[in-house]
Amino acid sequence: MNEREVLELLRENARYSTEDIARMTDLEEEEVEATIEALESAGVVRGYRAVVDWDELEDERVRAEVELNVKLDRETSYSDIAERLARFPQVRALRLVSGDYDFDMEVEGDSIREVSQFVSEKVAPVPEITQTVTHYVMTSYKESGIEFGDGDDDDRLSVSP
Amino acid sequence: MTLEPSERVNAVPPSGIRKFFEIAEERDDVISLGVGEPDFSTPWAARDAAITSLEQGKTSYTANRGMYELRAAISENVGERFALEYDPDEEIIVTSGASEAVDLAFRAFVDPGDTVAVVQPSYISYGPGVTFAGGEVLPVPTFEEDDFRLTLAGLERAGAADADALVFCYPNNPTGAMMTEDDLEPVADFACRHDLTVFSDEIYAELTYDDEHTSIATFEGMRERTVVFNGFSKAYAMTGLRLGYALAPPEAITAMNRIHQYGMLSAPTTAQYAALEALDSCDGDVEEMVSQYDRRRRFVISRFSEIGMPCFEAKGAFYVFPEVPDGWISDEFAEQLLHEQGVAVVPGDVFGEGGEGHLRVSYATGLGDLREALSRIETFVEENEP
């Protein structure tokens, strides 16, 4: 029960202090601490990362969505292929999906060249992979539930009945 | 003089929150916890429906009582949510905000000289509305020791037995109080026994955190004497779209519509399309807003208790009503807080009897601002300790 509530708050903002989470849930700080530890050790919470709008920074970051088609055989399963790909640090996300292709892979690098080389030299040669289609990300409008617009200003009257 | 205001207008003083609004608007470092409306935007699906209706050129008047589809959707919604059974043909009128519905009811049912018992602290419009309709206001104070609920003793003490009508709002602005089924029963009995017309403003009905809202109109003998007000402003964050409604028996709606058809003609059409979509597909948005408000509510109550300002546990709406520290009156505390720390709150006394000694603090504000505002209040209280 507590786990669900604490998890929701962490998903909303992982930088909420334990103290604030305690205030918002009516739990004791120690209980919040313990709940977070339990979520982490059970592998429910796998990490905490900042949501970055790269367009706001000088240094470029190249990201691509790569569609992968694979051909399985008796000895090789989806997870075998996934495990092999997921080990590369360039791979930011890897999902098995329904539809026209099998895997949806997010790749990140410092340049188009780096990302292209990674796909052509490390991914495409994997024997089970029959096809790759690489889509470079041009602009991101929303990531992890956060919109990248200018946001809505609070234009309410400052005091109202 | 030609433009001499009428006696009714002169009888109503300007609103007590005006002063705070003016100071707060002048400065740009103010965090306002004085806002009586949601900080969320209208759910996108509802805004999208409004835009689509404009694109399709649906910009003419609707039926006086509102589009039939909308009344049907309202009927279904209040039936499911609050066990209020009202026929969309004859027992529902869509208005420009619940405020218009309240005004229509006062004008439709209050005769000059009638007494309307107004349960306080309350939203600031009821008293003036009664006065504009020619009625007399009888304040019925509620108290913190009763969790700001209306009690039989409170009604009797105020002399409400001799009144013609009774108006209240639960979940309550400004206290955040709620009336449970058990709390409402003696009030319903009292209204029947003394033949009172009841105006029940239920605009915050969707915003409750522990218990579900119960409407007084569901009690035996109450339906025929009650007008229920609700709307889309608070639950669906649609304040600026100005859309509310009233539920009452056919003759009552006919009477209110008599005024509405001459005064307003029909509620804004674009807003009606937004409201229809809101009822159709925005339950999830409401749930999400309610869970956000609930977290903030608990945060704010915890902080006031840490600061040492006792704060009754608000159950609904998006307000808490903490006590000012000993030696302060509400108005001075609020004004000095605004000057010294740039935090705007509304002093409780502007909401009528029973409000003095308290502040209305709205948590319809993001958590970051709430956290900062509460720290400033903490500093203010520490610096001003006697």
Side-chain angles (χ1 to χ4, degrees), chain A residues 118-150:
Chain A
F118 171 69
V119 175
S120 59
E121 289 169 16
K122 304 290 183 205
V123 181
V126 173
E128 293 82 6
I129 293 180
T130 55
Q131 193 192 20
T132 69
V133 180
T134 304
H135 305 274
Y136 286 100
V137 174
M138 298 196 288
T139 305
S140 188
Y141 298 98
K142 190 175 183 178
E143 295 280 347
S144 303
I146 296 177
E147 282 183 65
F148 286 173
D150 291 333

Side-chain angles (χ1 to χ4, degrees), chain A residues 15 21 28 30 41 67 90 126 130 151:
Chain A
R15 278 179 55 97
I21 294 177
E28 296 300 321
E30 299 74 47
S41 62
E67 300 172 6
Q90 291 91 331
V126 173
T130 55

Side-chain angles (χ1 to χ4, degrees), chain B residues 128-186:
Chain B
V130 169
T131 306
F132 292 141
E136 306 287 334
V137 174
L138 175 74
V140 180
T142 58
F143 303 97
E144 181 156 11
E145 56 263 35
D146 301 320
D147 290 348
F148 293 105
R149 286 170 300 184
L150 174 61
T151 62
L152 187 59
L155 282 164
E156 281 168 349
R157 204 177 318 121
D162 298 325
D164 300 285
L166 173 66
V167 54
F168 53 76
C169 173
Y170 288 100
N172 182 265
N173 172 9
T175 63
M178 253 180 91
M179 294 281 280
T180 63
E181 201 172 337
D182 289 345
D183 299 327
L184 283 169
E185 198 165 356

